[in-house]
Amino acid sequence: QVQLVESGGGLVQPGGSLRLSCAASGNIFRINRMGWYRQTPGKKRELVATAITSGTTTYADSVKGRFTISRDNAKNTVYLQMNSLKPEDTAVYYCNYNGAPYGSSADYNYWGQGTQVTVSS
C-alpha cells in the first residue's frame, strides 16, 4: 500500500508559476516511477510528466520547456515546477506512483487524491 499526498495547487494568473509536491509513504520500492497527470471535465486523464528513480524524465509535448519534474528520493517526494502557466493548464493534477519488486512481472499503481490548478485572469 502506498499513500500519495499532493499539495501546492491554487489559482494563478496566466504567466504565473506554481510548484506541486507529492509525498509518498508506505511500501515504496527502491526502483519506481512517479509522475503527474491531469484531468479536466469531459476529458481523459493525461500524462504531464514522469520521473523514474534514477532521474530520467518524460514530458507531454504541451508542457515541455515550461514544466520541470524532479525527485527527492530520500524523502520519497516528487515535485512539479510549473512556469509560464496558461489557461489551458487548468485541471486537477494527480500524483502517480508505479513500482514493483525486483524480478516481478506485476506492478503496483497508486494515485493521489488530486490538487486543483486554475489559471485565470
Side-chain angles (χ1 to χ4, degrees):
Q1 181 80 3
V2 174
Q3 296 79 44
L4 303 172
V5 180
E6 305 108 326
S7 62
L11 173 64
V12 297
Q13 294 183 337
S17 298
L18 284 174
R19 191 192 194 203
L20 306 183
S21 298
C22 175
S25 62
N27 189 21
I28 307 298
F29 295 113
R30 188 178 66 85
I31 300 175
N32 59 73
R33 181 178 72 249
M34 296 184 68
W36 294 93
Y37 293 69
R38 65 187 181 187
Q39 188 170 22
T40 57
K43 296 183 64 177
K44 295 181 179 179
R45 192 170 298 181
E46 64 178 3
L47 181 147
V48 177
T50 65
I52 60 175
T53 313
S54 65
T56 300
T57 60
T58 185
Y59 295 91
D61 289 340
S62 59
V63 306
K64 287 181 179 177
R66 299 188 297 120
F67 292 8
T68 302
I69 188 170
S70 60
R71 297 180 56 135
D72 185 337
N73 292 333
K75 297 180 179 179
N76 292 321
T77 299
V78 64
Y79 306 93
L80 185 68
Q81 179 67 46
M82 304 185 293
N83 298 325
S84 301
L85 283 162
K86 304 175 181 179
E88 304 89 86
D89 296 317
T90 297
V92 177
Y93 284 69
Y94 295 90
C95 182
N96 174 260
Y97 165 94
N98 188 271
Y102 183 81
S104 176
S105 61
D107 59 14
Y108 299 85
N109 196 58
Y110 296 90
W111 295 95
Q113 193 170 10
T115 184
Q116 177 71 47
V117 172
T118 302
V119 184
S120 176
S121 301

